[in-house]
Amino acid sequence: MNAVPPVGIDRLRVLVADDHDLYRRGMQVVLGQEDDLEVVGEGRNGAEAVDLAVELVPDVVLMDVRMPVLTGIQACGRIKDLVPSAKILMLTMSDEEADLFDALRAGASGYLLKDEPAEAVIDGIRAVHAGHSMIPPQMAAMLVTEFGRLSRKAKERERGPKLTDREIEVLRLVARGAANKEIAKTLFISENTVKNHIRNILDKLQMHSRVAAAMYAMRTNLLDQD
């Protein structure tokens, strides 16, 4: 392919960060054969990647997950803070789901395994620069599973703390203004048991008073669920 891009074609400026010299040199050769790609810098560790990203403001950072000084994931987070315009494509030998999730949380736009052919890396660089996300097909199922788990946790948080049936009964009576003695008589339990229930309710709701708990009961329509 042409060493100089045709007129009217702007090269994507790529920073390569990897602690293996041979891999960096290989990427320099591979990307240098593309009309629209240009390697503008090479980092040997995560700290160098951050410094070079700030200095060079690349379009795309091609970075290994596991590097000395700063890991690729740590460097990813810092680069996104300091050079938010840069897209980051993580490369790794690891197919561990924790690395994938950590990389995406740190702001990476893509995640490719190092055993992918060079064409996949080239396509990945272009794709993340265009605003797309790159996830290996074999890891996509992990991501779907994780999103499902997070969605379930979010729904559980929306439903609020889990009060027992007895605690809900006590809270309803508290919201109606009943004193401990009256609650004990209504539910056929001791006043001491009522106090224990109220203490547990306040702990679960992270509140400090009966009034606040009563307001919560009214706000969440507990009084209408008899």
Side-chain angles (χ1 to χ4, degrees), residues 2 10 23 35-36 51 57 69 71-72 80 87 90 100 103 106 111 121 131 144 165-166 184 187 204 226:
N2 298 331
D10 293 327
Y23 191 84
D35 290 338
D36 59 335
D51 291 341
V57 191
V69 187
T71 68
K80 291 306 294 183
K87 304 294 185 181
M90 305 298 292
L100 169 64
Y111 189 96
V121 178
V144 171
D165 291 342
R166 177 62 86 186
L187 299 179
K204 289 182 179 180
D226 287 331

Side-chain angles (χ1 to χ4, degrees), residues 163-180 182-202 205 210 213-214 217 222-223 226:
L163 301 179
T164 66
D165 291 342
R166 177 62 86 186
E167 287 167 351
I168 290 173
E169 289 177 328
V170 171
L171 181 54
R172 285 174 178 162
L173 291 170
V174 168
R176 292 184 176 118
N180 288 357
E182 184 179 354
I183 295 172
K185 184 178 180 180
T186 301
L187 299 179
F188 303 100
I189 56 179
S190 69
E191 286 189 52
N192 191 53
T193 300
V194 172
K195 291 178 182 178
N196 289 335
H197 282 313
I198 292 175
R199 183 171 59 251
N200 291 337
I201 290 168
L202 295 178
L205 298 180
R210 295 167 68 105
L222 274 180
L223 300 184
D226 287 331

Side-chain angles (χ1 to χ4, degrees), residues 2-79:
N2 298 331
V4 178
V7 176
I9 295 181
D10 293 327
R11 280 180 166 174
L12 297 183
R13 305 174 73 254
V14 182
L15 168 63
V16 178
D18 194 292
D19 57 327
H20 293 95
D21 293 343
L22 287 177
Y23 191 84
R24 294 198 313 276
R25 297 293 180 266
M27 280 294 105
Q28 177 83 259
V29 171
V30 169
L31 301 184
Q33 294 176 346
E34 300 299 310
D35 290 338
D36 59 335
L37 303 180
E38 176 187 7
V39 176
V40 295
E42 296 180 15
R44 295 169 297 179
N45 56 59
E48 283 190 6
V50 174
D51 291 341
L52 287 170
V54 172
E55 176 186 349
L56 301 171
V57 191
D59 297 306
V60 178
V61 180
L62 187 65
M63 185 159 55
D64 189 16
V65 167
R66 303 186 186 282
M67 290 190 292
V69 187
L70 287 179
T71 68
I73 291 171
Q74 290 170 327
C76 177
R78 296 192 186 186
I79 291 171

